[in-house]
Amino acid sequence: MSEAAAVATAPRRVGEATAEPAWVRRVLIAIALGFLALFLFVPLVAVFVEALKKGLDVYLAAIGEPDAVSAIRLTLVAAAISVPLNLAFGIAAAWAIAKFDFRGKNLLLTFIDLPFSVSPVIAGLIFVLVFGLQGWFGEWLRDHDLKIIFALPGIVIATIFITFPFIARELIPLMQAQGIEQEEAARVLGAGGWQIFRRVTLPNVKWALLYGVILCNARAMGEFGAVSVVSGHIRGQTNTMPLHIEILYNEYQFAAAFAVASLLAGLALVTLALKYVVERRVAAAARGTAGALR
Amino acid sequence: MLLSRALLKRHSVLPGFDLALGFTLLYLSFIVLVPLSAAFLKTFTMTWPAFWDAVTAPRVVASYRLTFGASFAAALVNAVFGLVVCWVLVRYDFPARRLVDALVDLPFALPTAVAGIALTALYSGNGWIGQWLPLKVSFTPIGVWVALTFIGLPFVVRTLQPVLEDLQKEIEEAAAILGATRWQTFRRVILPILTPALLTGFALAFARALGEYGSVIFIAGNLPMVSEITPLLIITKLEQFDVPGATAIAVVMLVAAFVLLLAINALQAWTRARQGR
């Protein structure tokens, strides 16, 4: 009996030696949750509480107001143009980088990451330097009556720059990890390039691709700094949702500002929920492949 | 055909290399490389003294001090608390752990303007959190630090997490069997393994904070010489039609960002080497 008890407690002793005392654990959890609450959870809750503070009528009025509707429409249009372009780029870049071995690959990867390290304000500025009145193409654009800066094309191109790496960055590591055996087999069996991509590669990466698109979309709709530089802030015309929030806030229309903000916060929550689902799917798929190999 | 013959290290049976890489390079050049080079080319049209005056004016230097100082402080706090958060998420079980884990990425997904107004409201004098604090946060440099801490929060957690998850329990057991206390094991065995990833996360958070604009401008108060960050100063110069001045400051920030990018690449290589991959 005592022997059995000793055996039963032995594993726990080892566990104790490589774990912290219970009070340390509790303190660490309290510190972690306290820090996250102060900087993450409370701000998130505050967005929704402030938005509904003056009642549902004020909330709906703030969202249905013409300037807000036009801002929402512009945001949707800008995202609808920039996300598909970055999707095409992400797929092309991932195909080249993950499926082929070529010189200069690391340099290319560094270049793809560049927009991550450029301040949004500078991202806006460089397009002013290229397309603005004093910029490279400024006079030519004016003579041909084309407007890029302070108009939709400028907003779109700044958004593309900011969200440039997202889809490529989701796809590249996954496609690299998956290797090229399946695609090669398809090729040997006579499949064409498009068939290989659609029937072999795409099913393997669809969840990561979906998450990349959703994240890219969330960032595109939420971009503030770069768009702020190139938009010109013309109410009802070149104001996106984040810029509309800024204007409302600066006019002390706090409830309205938070109402519009709550839409974007909701989008962020959907993005996180999807990320959670995707990670579980990818993990399950990885386990499935490992099981099949065994 | 040209690209594949010039660049491919190995022949491949898979199709589409020329098309995929060609499109990638074209898109990359048009969207990123050519516009970025515009910033550098623009400053070449300035004389050296004009450039120097633009980037060392007292108001600009004050903004560097605030931007770099607050970014450093925010990254430091994120390194310490990020380590605790990551440790708790990987090692302990508590209610809603998965939910907390998923929410750590919130600063990646939440638009900066939304974060900015929420933090400002919370940390102002009569806000939920601000009313309990002994000192003024919103509209001071401390507010800048709060916003930058929010923005950098996921970086340390997410770079540490895979390393901590891969950490083999055996080495901790070995340390314990050899008589180390738990704290000694952490200090002498675990922390050295985590250090490269911790520094990488710190550098990523710092780099992100340097360029941050949206979440900061609401809470900062934007007082020249006191609480004005460098990205805001670039916008101010642009609004005054001082494009060369704005570009000169932007080039300084770009160079700082590129130096950090190189440092981060080196740190990531070190992390992989430390993990034995």
Side-chain angles (χ1 to χ4, degrees):
Chain A
M1 190 64 201
S2 67
E3 226 174 35
V7 170
T9 53
R12 221 187 64 210
R13 283 264 170 82
V14 174
E16 269 166 18
T18 57
E20 293 74 51
W23 69 269
V24 174
R25 252 180 285 170
R26 266 183 228 124
V27 168
L28 286 179
I29 290 175
I31 291 174
L33 292 183
F35 175 70
L36 291 177
L38 274 184
F39 284 96
L40 280 190
F41 308 148
V42 178
L44 179 64
V45 173
V47 172
F48 293 99
V49 171
E50 295 282 337
L52 292 166
K53 213 176 192 172
K54 296 208 171 125
L56 199 61
D57 295 346
V58 177
Y59 180 86
L60 293 175
I63 291 171
E65 179 240 348
D67 283 348
V69 172
S70 110
I72 293 170
R73 192 182 301 131
L74 179 62
T75 298
L76 292 175
V77 169
I81 301 171
S82 47
V83 174
L85 285 172
N86 279 338
L87 174 64
F89 161 74
I91 290 173
W95 183 261
I97 288 169
K99 302 295 175 190
F100 296 90
D101 204 12
F102 59 93
R103 273 182 282 275
K105 192 190 272 192
N106 283 330
L107 188 66
L108 179 60
L109 277 170
T110 308
F111 279 150
I112 290 176
D113 276 347
L114 267 185
F116 278 147
S117 44
V118 173
S119 168
V121 169
I122 297 174
L125 170 73
I126 58 178
F127 292 108
V128 172
L129 293 177
V130 175
F131 299 115
L133 203 54
Q134 300 179 38
W136 289 351
F137 302 113
E139 283 182 20
W140 186 88
L141 287 167
R142 192 191 53 195
D143 294 344
H144 290 77
D145 213 18
L146 294 169
K147 226 168 166 202
I148 291 184
I149 299 303
F150 304 147
L152 178 67
I155 294 172
V156 170
I157 201 164
T159 305
I160 292 178
F161 180 95
I162 290 293
T163 56
F164 180 84
F166 283 103
I167 298 175
R169 264 308 178 190
E170 278 307 312
L171 288 179
I172 290 169
L174 184 64
M175 280 168 64
Q176 272 178 331
Q178 283 171 346
I180 56 171
E181 287 83 2
Q182 292 185 16
E183 280 85 359
E184 280 178 341
R187 180 70 182 169
V188 170
L189 293 170
W194 176 241
Q195 257 183 321
I196 297 178
F197 176 74
R198 214 169 54 86
R199 301 278 188 86
V200 180
T201 310
L202 198 57
N204 281 335
V205 299
K206 61 177 184 232
W207 288 104
L209 186 74
L210 181 64
Y211 174 61
V213 168
I214 295 284
L215 184 64
C216 181
N217 178 61
R219 291 298 281 257
M221 289 190 174
E223 179 46 31
F224 179 71
V227 170
S228 170
V229 174
V230 297
S231 114
H233 304 262
I234 307 164
R235 254 184 125 133
Q237 284 181 43
T238 62
N239 258 346
T240 60
M241 282 166 83
L243 299 179
H244 188 59
I245 294 172
E246 182 193 21
I247 289 180
L248 291 173
Y249 194 86
N250 288 341
E251 288 173 351
Y252 302 102
Q253 300 188 47
F254 295 130
F258 277 103
V260 180
S262 73
L263 296 179
L264 289 171
L267 179 70
L269 287 178
V270 170
T271 307
L272 292 186
L274 202 88
K275 176 173 196 270
Y276 180 74
V277 173
V278 167
E279 276 173 357
R280 300 200 67 171
R281 294 272 175 162
V282 169
R287 273 199 306 278
T289 325
L293 284 175
R294 248 181 256 129
Chain B
M1 279 294 112
L2 217 65
L3 278 173
S4 49
R5 209 171 300 155
L7 294 173
L8 271 187
K9 285 186 189 164
R10 228 189 3 244
H11 176 74
S12 168
V13 297
L14 294 179
F17 178 72
D18 286 285
L19 182 66
L21 189 67
F23 178 66
T24 301
L25 293 179
L26 202 68
Y27 194 75
L28 177 76
S29 306
F30 276 134
I31 301 292
V32 179
L33 299 181
V34 172
L36 268 181
S37 68
F40 290 91
L41 292 175
K42 179 81 186 178
T43 52
F44 290 150
T45 64
M46 297 173 81
T47 63
W48 175 251
F51 175 80
W52 188 250
D53 285 348
V55 299
T56 58
R59 188 172 163 191
V60 182
V61 172
S63 83
Y64 297 147
R65 204 174 291 138
L66 174 67
T67 306
F68 282 85
S71 299
F72 189 84
L76 205 63
V77 167
N78 272 324
V80 174
F81 285 91
L83 176 62
V84 176
V85 169
C86 182
W87 183 270
V88 163
L89 286 176
V90 173
R91 290 292 174 99
Y92 303 155
D93 207 13
F94 53 92
R97 186 179 61 87
R98 284 171 172 281
L99 183 71
V100 171
D101 194 357
L103 278 174
V104 165
D105 281 330
L106 185 70
F108 284 155
L110 193 71
T112 52
V114 178
I117 61 170
L119 291 170
T120 311
L122 286 177
Y123 285 88
S124 65
N126 53 6
W128 290 356
I129 299 176
Q131 59 179 313
W132 304 104
L133 297 176
L135 69 180
K136 212 166 164 281
V137 174
S138 282
F139 319 120
T140 69
I142 305 172
V144 177
W145 168 81
V146 168
L148 295 180
T149 305
F150 172 86
I151 285 302
L153 204 151
F155 288 99
V156 174
V157 180
R158 291 303 184 226
T159 37
L160 271 181
Q161 213 162 8
V163 182
L164 194 57
E165 277 166 358
D166 280 356
L167 202 69
Q168 285 163 353
K169 202 85 179 168
E170 286 86 348
I171 50 170
E172 289 172 54
E173 283 166 7
I177 288 165
L178 292 171
T181 64
R182 193 62 192 145
W183 173 245
Q184 280 175 321
T185 309
F186 178 76
R187 253 307 269 111
R188 303 279 188 84
V189 178
I190 300 173
L191 201 57
I193 298 174
L194 297 183
T195 302
L198 195 60
L199 285 174
T200 309
F202 172 85
L204 284 170
F206 182 62
R208 176 77 167 84
L210 280 186
E212 179 53 21
Y213 172 73
S215 59
V216 177
I217 50 152
F218 295 99
I219 202 169
N222 306 327
L223 223 60
M225 305 296 292
V226 179
S227 58
E228 185 178 53
I229 54 166
T230 310
L232 176 67
L233 202 53
I234 294 175
I235 287 202
T236 311
K237 297 246 176 207
L238 265 182
E239 281 169 355
Q240 295 163 347
F241 301 105
D242 180 7
V243 178
T247 314
I249 302 172
V251 162
V252 171
M253 296 307 278
L254 277 176
V255 169
F258 293 160
V259 169
L260 267 170
L261 188 68
L262 289 178
I264 290 165
N265 278 347
L267 281 168
Q268 280 168 338
W270 186 26
T271 310
R272 280 192 297 273
R274 188 54 73 90
Q275 278 190 293
R277 277 181 190 163

